[in-house]
Amino acid sequence: MEPEMEDNTLELMNTAVMESQNHVDDLSPKKTTILTKLSNGPVMTGSRKRPSEGNCDKEKEQCIALFDQWSETDQVEFVEHLISHMCHYQHGHINSYLKPMLQRDFITALPAQGLDHIAENILSFLDAQSLCSAELVCKEWQRVISEGMLWKKLIERMVRTDPLWKGLSERHQWEKYLFKNRTTEVPPNSYYHSLYPKIIQDIETIEANWRCGRHNLQRIQCRSENSKGVYCLQYDDDKIISGLRDNSIKIWDKQSLECLKILTGHTGSVLCLQYDERVIVTGSSDSTVRVWDVTSGEVLNTLIHHNEAVLHLRFCNGLMVTCSKDRSIAVWDMASPTDISLRRVLVGHRAAVNVVDFDDKYIVSASGDRTIKVWSTSTCEFVRTLNGHKRGIACLQYRDRLVVSGSSDNTIRLWDIECGACLRVLEGHEELVRCIRFDNKRIVSGAYDGKIKVWDLQAALDPRAPASTLCLRTLVEHSGRVFRLQFDEFQIISSSHDDTILIWDFLNVSTNGQSEGRSPSRTYTYISR
């Protein structure tokens, strides 16, 4: 609405008020004065005006009648102009009046329009604390949350995105109540509401067990007449597969700890292995790589390429990388277990290549020559060298941008693979660091001092964290050098020169008077015949 039109409207309203006063004996001159001043500009006054007298209601009705005849745009412009003529005190009253008018309970309104699913979808993004608060808003919100099974959906979201939640769902058997549609028999929303705090309590207990070193210990004795160590292992929920110095591969039942199968064929110690749902691939001091059927134990393929012991290997998505005491790295294409061809040999290290790891971007290798080398996975071309360790490097793991390595200088180093910078040096082991693994929370290392150390990864990546706070716990149970370990959210499984495999369980911890960090062990001894 143009300024001239706005002023004319104000004059019309004044005229209407004056005409109405001809029919009323008790004329209100103050009202006429106020409206006249409104047309001439803002009223700047420090005192509040006296209440209007006379026929105020009739005047308001006439103003509203005129107001209702205008378009919405004209109405808005006029009200803005009207408000600009008011004082701060009046603005406060208008603000208090408008606030509740502008607030909408959309969660209650949507179901009334047949849009329950939208209300449920909006609330499904809440975390647990917010969902608790939402239930207390009103009965309608509580109904939407209950009928939408939003506590169930929250738990399902956590299980999908967090390995710890997924592991707990499998181990505590409540996974069977998840990921089922509403037509299937499922407990009510109240079941999941009460389940959530129990899960949180379990998680807090597990974290406390890791920090305090509380665990149950199970021990597998792998002794045989000529065996002097368990060099490598890998496990899943059902089995543990280990490579031994006596040239054999032993497969153990993870629940009973009994030896299920022994694979023989290598003529030297089994130094490294990896398996998936189809095959076991092993490397040996006999310089060969063998591929075995994981179910039958049959040898499917033997790769003869390296001139000396095969010290480590990794395979994934049709690609395998092996490394050797002969200082070379071999990159293989795995079309099938029986169709494996050599793609490229990487040469550059000046001593035995002890360990390799890779992803779609980089192959990373570490050597006794004290260096870590980075190669392009796609082209196999050299990228850069990471220098810093004072002695040979025995182990490493690579994921995303982070490389963590262990050395015979007794230290662990964290590296940024993209720029080659050393981010942190961890000190604490007294001898060569032989094996290392990390996840999003922790680094776990094993050394020739017989100790396993648990480190806080996030603190290690924070340059402000004091070195004294980085090692969370030291676990001492092995009586010999620790050769290999693997861990998840609930356990560490390690192997040693003492011919044992230890299972450190941080979930099922006995609290019957056990001292912190020590738990009774269950032992199974296998003696080969």
Side-chain angles (χ1 to χ4, degrees), residues 43-62:
V43 177
M44 305 301 292
T45 177
S47 61
R48 300 176 186 173
K49 294 179 176 57
R50 290 182 299 170
S52 300
E53 300 173 355
N55 56 350
C56 176
D57 291 339
K58 191 169 185 178
E59 293 172 356
K60 283 191 284 187
E61 289 176 5
Q62 289 175 338

Side-chain angles (χ1 to χ4, degrees), residues 228-261:
K228 295 182 181 179
V230 185
Y231 281 135
C232 53
L233 63 82
Q234 185 182 335
Y235 72 87
D236 56 40
D237 290 339
D238 303 315
K239 61 185 176 295
I240 303 170
I241 301 182
S242 58
L244 279 73
R245 191 174 181 181
D246 68 0
N247 309 348
S248 70
I249 299 121
K250 289 189 170 76
I251 303 176
W252 310 86
D253 184 288
K254 193 166 179 295
Q255 305 307 317
S256 69
L257 307 185
E258 294 180 355
C259 185
L260 302 175
K261 193 174 296 183

Side-chain angles (χ1 to χ4, degrees), residues 1-10 12-13 63-83:
M1 186 164 64
E2 297 298 328
E4 294 87 352
M5 182 180 178
E6 208 168 81
D7 291 338
N8 291 337
T9 304
L10 290 169
L12 283 171
M13 294 183 71
C63 291
I64 292 171
L66 286 172
F67 186 81
D68 288 342
Q69 296 174 15
W70 302 338
S71 67
E72 289 185 1
T73 302
D74 290 343
Q75 289 174 342
V76 170
E77 290 179 357
F78 175 74
V79 170
E80 289 176 349
H81 191 65
L82 187 64
I83 291 173

Side-chain angles (χ1 to χ4, degrees), residues 33 59 82 96 106 153 162 166 193 293 417 425 440 507:
T33 305
E59 293 172 356
L82 187 64
S96 300
F106 55 89
K153 290 179 180 178
D162 191 317
K166 181 172 176 57
H193 193 172
D293 184 286
I417 196 171
V425 180
N440 294 328
L507 174 61

Side-chain angles (χ1 to χ4, degrees), residues 224-457:
S224 62
E225 292 179 3
N226 60 346
S227 174
K228 295 182 181 179
V230 185
Y231 281 135
C232 53
L233 63 82
Q234 185 182 335
Y235 72 87
D236 56 40
D237 290 339
D238 303 315
K239 61 185 176 295
I240 303 170
I241 301 182
S242 58
L244 279 73
R245 191 174 181 181
D246 68 0
N247 309 348
S248 70
I249 299 121
K250 289 189 170 76
I251 303 176
W252 310 86
D253 184 288
K254 193 166 179 295
Q255 305 307 317
S256 69
L257 307 185
E258 294 180 355
C259 185
L260 302 175
K261 193 174 296 183
I262 302 175
L263 310 183
T264 58
H266 279 297
T267 57
S269 301
V270 181
L271 304 178
C272 54
L273 68 81
Q274 184 185 341
Y275 71 85
D276 61 15
E277 66 279 359
R278 297 187 304 159
V279 296
I280 308 169
V281 183
T282 57
S284 169
S285 59
D286 65 12
S287 306
T288 68
V289 175
R290 287 180 180 256
V291 183
W292 315 73
D293 184 286
V294 74
T295 304
S296 68
E298 176 189 0
V299 177
L300 303 176
N301 204 342
T302 301
L303 306 178
I304 302 174
H305 164 75
H306 289 290
N307 298 321
E308 295 189 63
V310 180
L311 301 179
H312 200 252
L313 62 85
R314 298 292 298 166
F315 70 87
C316 183
N317 297 329
L319 184 70
M320 179 168 68
V321 181
T322 60
C323 62
S324 170
K325 191 177 178 182
D326 65 13
R327 307 181 184 182
S328 73
I329 302 160
V331 182
W332 308 79
D333 289 309
M334 298 179 69
S336 71
T338 57
D339 183 7
I340 302 174
S341 57
L342 183 65
R343 179 195 295 185
R344 186 82 173 265
V345 177
L346 310 181
V347 179
H349 283 293
R350 292 175 286 111
V353 185
N354 293 318
V355 59
V356 289
D357 204 353
F358 72 92
D359 64 9
D360 292 338
K361 190 173 185 180
Y362 294 125
I363 297 170
V364 186
S365 58
S367 167
D369 65 7
R370 309 179 184 182
T371 68
I372 298 170
K373 291 190 179 294
V374 183
W375 320 74
S376 168
T377 302
S378 57
T379 66
C380 294
E381 296 300 319
F382 172 75
V383 177
R384 66 178 57 89
T385 299
L386 310 182
N387 289 297
H389 278 295
K390 302 297 189 294
R391 300 185 67 181
I393 302 165
C395 56
L396 67 73
Q397 183 184 349
Y398 158 55
R399 192 180 70 191
D400 300 328
R401 291 183 61 132
L402 184 63
V403 176
V404 181
S405 59
S407 166
S408 56
D409 64 11
N410 304 348
T411 69
I412 298 163
R413 287 180 180 255
L414 283 65
W415 312 80
D416 184 329
I417 196 171
E418 295 295 349
C419 65
C422 180
L423 306 174
R424 173 75 80 163
V425 180
L426 304 179
E427 297 179 308
H429 281 294
E430 299 165 5
E431 295 186 45
L432 178 150
V433 182
R434 181 66 174 80
C435 50
I436 199 152
R437 304 298 295 172
F438 70 87
D439 61 10
N440 294 328
K441 300 176 184 176
R442 307 176 183 90
I443 301 169
V444 182
S445 60
Y448 277 6
D449 58 13
K451 298 174 183 177
I452 293 172
K453 289 184 177 289
V454 181
W455 311 80
D456 186 331
L457 174 59

Side-chain angles (χ1 to χ4, degrees), residues 75-125:
Q75 289 174 342
V76 170
E77 290 179 357
F78 175 74
V79 170
E80 289 176 349
H81 191 65
L82 187 64
I83 291 173
S84 72
H85 286 70
M86 295 181 178
C87 67
H88 183 71
Y89 166 76
Q90 293 168 313
H91 290 159
H93 274 277
I94 292 173
N95 183 56
S96 300
Y97 179 74
L98 287 176
K99 266 188 175 180
M101 294 179 66
L102 296 174
Q103 293 170 348
R104 294 294 179 90
D105 182 357
F106 55 89
I107 297 300
T108 300
L110 285 169
Q113 301 295 322
L115 300 174
D116 297 65
H117 62 288
I118 297 179
E120 292 170 9
N121 193 42
I122 292 169
L123 293 178
S124 70
F125 289 95

